[in-house]
């Protein structure tokens, strides 16, 4: 069995002993016999400190090893002969201990300089195009399945009961637009002459007046071709006042209607219509006329 021994200066001490007796070592060994219980000792130059000791029991001591510089190699000895030498591979290596805890992360070191960019490698040659594989055979088209029979039409369900009639509305409908103002009627015939009364006092002579009202009709006609159309008839000639007026739609549809007919000025009568230009039939070609009756 081999034992571990680490006297790092042992070899140097033994070499010094051999150097002192070099002239006598050419033919035989130099031996020293130690007394019983004693030892062979090498001391320093002052003789106060032991550097090397070999006991009578065979024990070898090197007291200065504890203060020597640390080394990385192990020294072993052979059991039967005591010969010193380097340890064989695997000697002195024990089982791996448990992994210790991870130490704290050290500070991040400074960023080193960026290395120079290496030269770009050459472009490799393009490999040849491989041969195109053969086209596989097209599989046969599967047969069309037979069409299933139509299902039976279900019976019509019974009609539901008729709902109850709602109650009459109590809210009055919107008031209709005002009708056109009629044309003044003709002057009635003179009544029978009454009995002559007693003569009254003679009144002052008044201005001469007309016996009838004379009206003239003026009109303006246009096409109902925009949604909101306003036409105005204006008095002309010797007339200066409008007394009445009216409006008319020729061939009106359900989508066109009058919603305003008013005296818009002292001598004007205006009519406003709604003309639907999107529905069918539309009212693009319907004639619209505004009338003014002037004095």
């Amino acid at each position: 069995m081999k034992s571990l021994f680490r006297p790092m200066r042992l070899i140097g001490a033994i070499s010094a002993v051999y150097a002192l007796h070099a002239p006598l070592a050419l033919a035989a060994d130099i031996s020293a016999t130690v007394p019983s219980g004693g030892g062979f000792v090498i001391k320093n130059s002052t003789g106060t400190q032991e550097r090397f000791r070999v006991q009578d029991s065979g024990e070898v001591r090197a007291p200065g090893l504890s203060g020597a510089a640390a080394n990385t190699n192990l020294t072993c000895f052979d059991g039967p002969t005591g010969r010193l030498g380097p340890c064989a591979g695997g000697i002195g290596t024990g089982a791996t201990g448990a992994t210790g805890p991870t130490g704290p992360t050290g500070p991040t070191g400074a960023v080193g300089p960026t290395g120079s960019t290496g030269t770009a490698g050459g472009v490799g040659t393009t490999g040849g195009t491989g041969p195109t594989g053969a086209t596989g055979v097209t599989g046969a088209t599967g047969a069309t399945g037979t069409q299933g029979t139509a299902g039976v039409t279900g019976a019509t369900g019974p009609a539901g009961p008729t709902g109850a009639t709602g109650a009459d509305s109590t809210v009055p409908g919107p008031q209709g637009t005002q009708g056109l103002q009629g044309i003044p009627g003709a002057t009635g015939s003179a009544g029978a002459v009454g009995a002559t009364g007693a003569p009254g006092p003679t009144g002052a002579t008044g201005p001469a007046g007309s016996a009838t009202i004379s009206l003239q009709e003026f009109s303006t006609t246009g096409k109902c071709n925009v949604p909101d159309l306003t036409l105005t008839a204006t008095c002309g000639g010797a007339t200066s006042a409008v007394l009445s007026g009216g409006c008319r739609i020729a061939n009106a549809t359900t989508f066109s209607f009058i919603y305003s007919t008013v005296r818009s000025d002292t001598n004007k009568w205006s009519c406003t219509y709604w003309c639907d230009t999107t529905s069918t039939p539309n009212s693009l070609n319907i004639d619209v006329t505004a009338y003014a009756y002037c004095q």
Side-chain angles (χ1 to χ4, degrees), residues 142-185:
T144 303
T146 58
Q147 183 175 355
T149 57
V152 179
T153 303
T156 302
T162 302
T165 302
D168 293 337
S169 174
T170 59
V171 179
Q175 183 177 354
T177 58
Q178 181 179 353
L180 301 178
Q181 182 174 351
I183 301 173

Side-chain angles (χ1 to χ4, degrees), residues 35-143:
S36 177
F40 177 80
V41 179
I42 298 175
K43 294 185 178 183
N44 64 353
S45 60
T46 61
T48 57
Q49 294 182 355
E50 290 187 358
R51 298 305 189 194
F52 183 75
R53 172 184 286 272
V54 180
Q55 291 291 103
D56 181 32
S57 61
E59 179 181 347
V60 178
R61 299 179 184 178
L65 288 180
S66 60
N71 292 290
T72 58
N73 295 325
L74 299 178
T75 300
C76 297
F77 69 93
D78 181 67
T81 64
R83 178 175 53 85
L84 300 177
C87 297
I91 300 299
T93 303
T96 302
T99 303
T102 302
T105 302
T108 302
V111 178
T114 303
S116 58
T117 303
T119 57
V123 180
T125 57
T126 303
T129 303
T132 303
T135 303
V137 180
T138 303
T141 303

Side-chain angles (χ1 to χ4, degrees), residues 268-285:
K268 295 180 180 180
W269 192 273
S270 297
C271 304
T272 304
Y273 302 79
W274 172 256
C275 302
D276 188 0
T277 60
T278 59
S279 302
T280 302
N282 62 42
S283 55
L284 292 177
N285 296 316

Side-chain angles (χ1 to χ4, degrees), residues 126-238:
T126 303
T129 303
T132 303
T135 303
V137 180
T138 303
T141 303
T144 303
T146 58
Q147 183 175 355
T149 57
V152 179
T153 303
T156 302
T162 302
T165 302
D168 293 337
S169 174
T170 59
V171 179
Q175 183 177 354
T177 58
Q178 181 179 353
L180 301 178
Q181 182 174 351
I183 301 173
T187 303
S189 58
V193 178
T196 302
T202 302
T205 303
S210 61
T212 60
I213 298 176
S214 176
L215 297 179
Q216 295 186 35
E217 178 183 288
F218 298 90
S219 63
T220 301
T221 302
K223 292 291 185 181
C224 195
N225 54 11
V226 292
D228 287 295
L229 175 67
T230 299
L231 291 179
T232 299
T234 305
C235 298

